[in-house]
């Protein structure tokens, strides 16, 4: 069982070292590391000098174009994207994913996807919080009607399927959501299982592209959901998202008010 770890970089010298160290620390060693760089000028390439990886550095049309380059190059059985600043949760992560593949193959076909939970960390790698959406026990392509339940960095796709469903470059901020759904659709068509790996498998750097471009990302995600689930379902689910956000905000505001109240200190 082999993995292709794909890391996309562009002027990422400040956060890349943690990713390199995380990959290098994995106890499971049957992997290749592909680093697709967008012609960085900030010292990113200096960090990669002497590092054991396949590095391509050239201008591209954005992060998803770079990801497609990585897919075309991948030789492992499974592919996972671990971009600059993101890390595996611990040194045994790949080992646990490989063990889940082997265990599943005792009675079922090779899984199309393996997935797990994600923690959010800061630029120093310090834990901030669990990701607000948790990976479900049973995942299908319909699951993403409720949001992107599995983080991109916690989504291991069978390379044969991943390569035949490249990222759609019409999306600038949410092509990863569309890609995951299409991979899972193909898995269902081929009757291949999606397998949950227990626990956290990825640490995601807070403040990624979808955070920096929040409004544009939300608009694109609406279009992605409409494409796969239809307009009516998408409208209903976004109404639920809105109500959930209002309730969460109201509860947070109440808690802040209560904690700051003089009487609360005597309880």
């Amino acid at each position: 069982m082999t993995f292709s770890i794909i890391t996309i970089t562009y002027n990422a010298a400040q956060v890349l070292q943690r990713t390199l160290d995380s990959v290098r620390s994995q106890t499971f060693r049957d992997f290749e590391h592909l680093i697709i760089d967008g012609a960085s000028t900030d010292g990113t390439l200096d960090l990669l000098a002497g590092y054991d990886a396949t590095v391509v550095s050239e201008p591209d049309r954005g992060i998803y174009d770079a990801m497609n380059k990585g897919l075309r190059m991948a030789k492992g059985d499974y592919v996972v994207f671990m971009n600059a600043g993101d890390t595996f949760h611990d040194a045994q992560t790949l080992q646990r994913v490989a063990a889940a593949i082997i265990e599943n193959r005792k009675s079922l076909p090779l899984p199309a996807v393996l997935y797990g939970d994600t923690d959010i960390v800061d630029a120093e790698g310090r834990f901030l919080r669990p990701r607000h959406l948790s990976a479900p026990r049973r995942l299908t392509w319909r699951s993403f009607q409720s949001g992107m339940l599995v983080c991109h960095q916690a989504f291991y796709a069978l390379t044969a399927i991943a390569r035949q469903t490249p990222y759609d470059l019409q999306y600038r901020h949410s092509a990863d959501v569309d890609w995951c759904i299409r991979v899972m659709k193909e898995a269902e068509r081929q009757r291949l299982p999606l397998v949950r790996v227990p626990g956290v498998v990825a640490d995601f750097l807070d403040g990624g592209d979808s955070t920096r471009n929040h409004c544009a990302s939300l608009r694109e995600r609406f279009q992605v959901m409409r494409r796969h689930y239809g307009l009516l379902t998408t409208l209903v689910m976004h109404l639920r998202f809105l109500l959930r956000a209002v309730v969460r905000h109201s509860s947070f505001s109440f808690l802040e008010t209560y904690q700051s109240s003089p009487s609360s200190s005597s309880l």
Side-chain angles (χ1 to χ4, degrees), residues 239-251:
L239 179 59
R240 290 183 181 178
F241 297 157
L242 177 61
L243 291 175
R244 187 169 60 194
V246 169
V247 170
R248 186 165 58 240
H249 177 75
S250 299
S251 299

Side-chain angles (χ1 to χ4, degrees), residues 176-195:
D176 53 343
V177 183
D178 172 70
W179 179 77
C180 288
I181 294 172
R182 288 189 291 116
V183 166
M184 291 187 289
K185 278 186 171 182
E186 181 60 23
E188 182 177 281
R189 190 187 72 81
Q190 296 188 28
R191 299 183 179 180
L192 297 178
L194 312 181
V195 174

Side-chain angles (χ1 to χ4, degrees), residues 4 32 36 52 83 86 89 121-122 125 153 193 226 231 242 245:
S4 291
E32 63 173 354
I36 313 300
D52 186 16
N83 292 332
D86 302 324
H89 185 63
V121 300
D122 65 14
Q153 288 77 358
R226 180 179 180 179
L231 179 59
L242 177 61

Side-chain angles (χ1 to χ4, degrees), residues 6 16 52 65 82 88 105 123 150 169 190 203 217 225 254:
I6 301 176
L16 178 59
D52 186 16
D65 181 39
M82 198 61 62
F88 294 104
R105 290 204 72 185
V150 179
L169 299 188
Q190 296 188 28
D203 290 346
S217 177
M225 289 184 66
F254 171 79

Side-chain angles (χ1 to χ4, degrees), residues 98-170:
I101 297 169
I102 295 169
E103 178 64 25
N104 185 80
R105 290 204 72 185
K106 291 179 180 179
S107 57
L108 295 170
L110 198 65
V113 172
L114 295 106
Y115 65 96
D117 283 315
T118 303
D119 281 345
I120 307 299
V121 300
D122 65 14
E124 303 301 320
R126 294 184 293 255
F127 171 80
L128 295 176
R129 59 189 179 276
R131 189 168 179 264
H132 72 287
L133 295 175
S134 298
R137 291 183 61 183
R138 182 176 181 274
L139 181 70
T140 75
W141 68 269
R142 296 172 184 83
S143 301
F144 276 29
Q145 293 180 58
S146 301
M148 194 175 185
L149 301 185
V150 179
C151 182
H152 195 213
Q153 288 77 358
F155 190 94
Y156 292 72
L158 194 63
T159 303
I161 292 179
R163 188 180 290 119
Q164 71 184 49
T165 54
Y167 292 86
D168 189 336
L169 299 188
Q170 71 171 303

Side-chain angles (χ1 to χ4, degrees), residues 39-111:
S40 292
T41 58
D42 70 335
T44 294
L45 297 178
D46 294 332
L47 283 178
L48 297 173
Y51 180 76
D52 186 16
T54 299
V55 180
V56 174
S57 183
E58 61 187 15
D60 54 47
R61 292 182 290 166
I63 186 170
Y64 298 118
D65 181 39
M67 288 178 172
N68 281 339
K69 290 181 185 179
L71 285 179
R72 291 192 293 269
M73 294 171 58
K75 298 177 182 177
D77 298 307
Y78 287 87
V79 61
V80 62
F81 288 90
M82 198 61 62
N83 292 332
D86 302 324
T87 61
F88 294 104
H89 185 63
D90 55 39
Q92 290 74 43
T93 298
L94 275 185
Q95 188 72 54
R96 290 192 287 120
V97 176
I101 297 169
I102 295 169
E103 178 64 25
N104 185 80
R105 290 204 72 185
K106 291 179 180 179
S107 57
L108 295 170
L110 198 65

